[in-house]
Amino acid sequence: MTSELHNPLRNSPFDNLPPLTHQQALEILSRPANELKMSSDYYKAAFHLARYPGLKTEEALIDLVESKSLEQSVVLGRRKAVDTLAKLGCVRAIPSIGNCLNSSDPYLVETAAWALQSLKCKDVDLIKRLILLLDDPIQHRRSLIKSISALGDQRVLDKIKAFIEDPSTPIGIRGASISAMSSLFGQREHILELHDHLRVDNQNDRHCAFHDIVDSKDFNQLGILLRAPVSPSFRLQAINLLWPKDILKKGQMELTHVLDKLITDHPKEIDVLTKYASEPKNSFLVKELFGTDFNRCYLALKTLLNRETKELEPLLDDVWDKIYKDYGAIYFFVQLFNLKSGWSRDGYQRIQNLLLFSLGNSWPDYMKFRPISILTLTLYRPDMLHENLSRWLDHEKTPYWVSRYATLMALETSLKDHSFRQAGKYLKYCLQDSHRFVRVKAKAISHNYGFT
């Protein structure tokens, strides 16, 4: 069974630029810094070399990592070279990466620590160095704690206990320390404090708390994570990491039921942190869907569901163009269109145009709005399911497993109302899917509708 594909080039501004060839990237790294066209050239070359695993790539990247130059182009390039070597699984680069722990650049130190974690470094001296760096206040100590705990080294106990016991410890470092105590030593007496961190005003701190709870490796915390007002991508990652393999039901939680609710993502299932002091205007609520704080977006969406569609539709006339340019807003507006009916004929057409756009090639395939767009489009146009079923269930054409799972949800909805003789063929195909959750969903539908 193949594993879910990992794209090492995602989430970078260079991902949307024409790729460098292998030779072009190597040639850039061979130039002296004073001959570069831009200070980001080394960084760009190191980024694109992730496409070209092999000895020449590794040697060029290691040479850059070992550079002692303090020029900005080299400083930036070294960070990305360390990152790329780790993503390429280059274990022989560990000594060179380890030397970066002595750098005066805390960002390079942080990247090196992550790389050593990713490469499963067993070098005792390097891990000792990582632990000693926790005494240095200029370092990104939260990230260091994460790397050390992921490496499973228990010599960090005294350091993290000291962080927990010190009331002045910043929330991010404290949360990482509590998480490490749980994952490394099974000591979970401070876990409830992470629940409090999930409810702080600062969204970045809430994100850190979410990841701390996931990293604690405590399945019993999954329930609160699934209701947290954070990106659905975070919650999907949590269930992917915490749900035990080959288990369909644990306690009161049934896997496919949990996943269906999570992908549908109704705001009633989210524990929003605040309430409106007075009834907000519809125009304010629509504007809130363009925000970056997920708690506020979920609160606005939840409130909009109780408003009349005919009152909302005129407000959308002024924002349609803006929606198309904002991937966060696309998610919440598609949610609104999925959960609320009664739009005019023109409104339905505009909604369908947006859905087709969100499922087109203008966006990377892993965007969080793609699964809910599949569910919404097939709700409005059931014929679009049959038209796209083979493409949406194909791993190569639809690499994001959540989109394939959402397609199976749409297929299940269709089967409730209509017979579909070829459904068995698609379900059988999905039983071999690269992601375990897609296989589980296909098996459940096959069983429930007699395709086994």
Side-chain angles (χ1 to χ4, degrees):
M1 189 71 63
T2 58
S3 61
E4 189 76 3
L5 292 178
H6 169 67
N7 181 356
L9 304 181
R10 286 177 177 168
N11 301 322
S12 167
F14 297 112
D15 198 14
N16 295 318
L17 298 177
L20 296 174
T21 66
H22 193 195
Q23 192 57 42
Q24 286 172 330
L26 292 175
E27 195 275 328
I28 288 173
L29 292 190
S30 70
R31 293 179 200 163
N34 61 4
E35 294 182 11
L36 297 177
K37 294 179 180 179
M38 299 178 64
S39 63
S40 62
D41 278 354
Y42 285 156
Y43 185 103
K44 179 171 66 174
F47 167 81
H48 283 291
L49 281 175
R51 303 177 191 270
Y52 310 108
L55 184 60
K56 286 186 177 180
T57 288
E58 292 176 1
E59 288 176 345
L61 291 170
I62 290 173
D63 285 344
L64 179 56
V65 168
E66 292 179 346
S67 173
K68 298 294 190 283
S69 172
L70 296 179
E71 293 195 49
Q72 183 69 2
S73 57
V74 177
V75 171
L76 292 173
R78 289 180 76 195
R79 295 175 193 164
K80 180 47 69 174
V82 168
D83 178 87
T84 299
L85 284 166
K87 288 173 178 173
L88 291 173
C90 183
V91 175
R92 72 188 186 95
I94 285 178
S96 300
I97 293 172
N99 286 335
C100 294
L101 298 179
N102 301 316
S103 172
S104 60
D105 175 11
Y107 293 100
L108 178 58
V109 172
E110 178 183 20
T111 305
W114 172 83
L116 293 174
Q117 166 197 334
S118 180
L119 294 170
K120 297 179 172 56
C121 173
K122 302 298 183 184
D123 188 305
V124 173
D125 291 333
L126 289 180
I127 297 176
K128 283 182 180 178
R129 176 64 180 148
L130 282 172
I131 295 173
L132 286 174
L133 284 169
L134 292 174
D135 294 326
D136 185 353
I138 76 162
Q139 301 298 334
H140 300 156
R141 292 184 286 187
R142 173 180 170 81
S143 297
L144 293 176
I145 293 168
K146 290 291 184 185
S147 294
I148 296 166
S149 61
L151 287 169
D153 198 289
Q154 298 192 351
R155 287 170 295 181
V156 74
L157 175 62
D158 290 341
K159 301 281 188 187
I160 60 177
K161 283 181 69 174
F163 285 136
I164 294 173
E165 292 168 0
D166 183 353
S168 67
T169 299
I171 187 172
I173 298 174
R174 183 176 183 82
S177 300
I178 292 171
S179 177
M181 286 293 286
S182 174
S183 62
L184 285 175
F185 307 102
Q187 297 182 22
R188 298 190 168 94
E189 58 266 34
H190 295 282
I191 286 288
L192 290 180
E193 190 173 332
L194 296 182
H195 294 193
D196 295 335
H197 294 182
L198 270 182
R199 303 191 66 81
V200 298
D201 291 335
N202 184 284
Q203 179 166 240
N204 287 334
D205 286 338
R206 295 202 300 271
H207 288 173
C208 287
F210 188 95
H211 292 303
D212 290 336
I213 296 174
V214 172
D215 291 343
S216 73
K217 300 179 181 177
D218 183 0
F219 176 87
N220 293 324
Q221 308 305 316
L222 185 58
I224 192 169
L225 292 174
L226 297 180
R227 297 186 65 87
V230 298
S231 168
S233 303
F234 287 7
R235 286 176 275 128
L236 286 162
Q237 182 187 43
I239 193 169
N240 207 8
L241 291 171
L242 293 179
W243 194 277
K245 288 184 175 14
D246 303 319
I247 298 293
L248 299 182
K249 187 172 183 180
K250 191 167 176 64
Q252 299 299 311
M253 303 176 76
E254 186 175 337
L255 179 56
T256 54
H257 180 64
V258 171
L259 285 166
D260 289 0
K261 286 174 59 176
L262 185 52
I263 294 171
T264 303
D265 201 23
H266 197 295
K268 71 180 181 181
E269 302 292 340
I270 301 297
D271 290 331
V272 291
L273 308 180
T274 52
K275 295 181 179 180
Y276 295 123
S278 58
E279 282 295 305
K281 293 182 178 179
N282 289 333
S283 56
F284 168 82
L285 296 171
V286 168
K287 185 177 179 181
E288 284 286 272
L289 297 187
F290 289 95
T292 57
D293 187 319
F294 278 83
N295 176 63
R296 293 176 61 175
C297 291
Y298 279 113
L299 178 59
L301 177 62
K302 188 175 184 178
T303 308
L304 281 168
L305 294 181
N306 295 319
R307 303 297 171 88
E308 293 292 332
T309 302
K310 63 182 179 182
E311 296 174 359
L312 302 180
E313 193 158 353
L315 298 174
L316 299 182
D317 291 339
D318 298 328
V319 299
W320 276 110
D321 290 343
K322 188 178 177 183
I323 294 173
Y324 275 78
K325 300 173 184 176
D326 188 324
Y327 64 86
I330 289 177
Y331 181 78
F332 283 103
F333 278 99
V334 172
Q335 283 285 6
L336 178 66
F337 302 144
N338 178 263
L339 297 170
K340 199 160 188 61
S341 58
W343 307 97
S344 67
R345 178 179 297 180
D346 183 57
Y348 275 117
Q349 187 57 57
R350 281 181 159 185
I351 291 169
Q352 289 179 50
N353 291 341
L354 175 65
L355 296 171
L356 291 170
F357 171 75
S358 69
L359 292 170
N361 296 323
S362 299
W363 302 96
D365 52 65
Y366 61 90
M367 298 302 288
K368 61 177 173 286
F369 53 69
R370 281 186 177 267
I372 193 62
S373 294
I374 289 172
L375 291 175
T376 307
L377 181 61
T378 55
L379 174 67
Y380 287 10
R381 291 275 308 278
D383 59 300
M384 295 297 289
L385 174 64
H386 293 198
E387 206 172 295
N388 293 280
L389 197 54
S390 60
R391 178 167 63 91
W392 288 345
L393 290 177
D394 187 289
H395 178 102
E396 296 296 329
K397 296 175 181 176
T398 306
Y400 189 31
W401 74 265
V402 188
S403 292
R404 302 197 300 276
Y405 189 103
T407 303
L408 288 176
M409 290 174 63
L411 176 59
E412 184 176 32
T413 298
S414 175
L415 289 172
K416 291 175 182 177
D417 300 320
H418 306 93
S419 62
F420 180 27
R421 287 183 297 175
Q422 292 189 346
K425 176 185 73 172
Y426 291 106
L427 292 168
K428 184 177 181 180
Y429 173 78
C430 289
L431 292 175
Q432 304 300 317
D433 193 89
S434 58
H435 199 283
R436 60 177 176 140
F437 290 165
V438 178
R439 298 195 298 271
V440 165
K441 184 64 175 176
K443 187 174 182 179
I445 298 174
S446 297
H447 175 74
N448 293 336
Y449 290 88
F451 289 105
T452 54

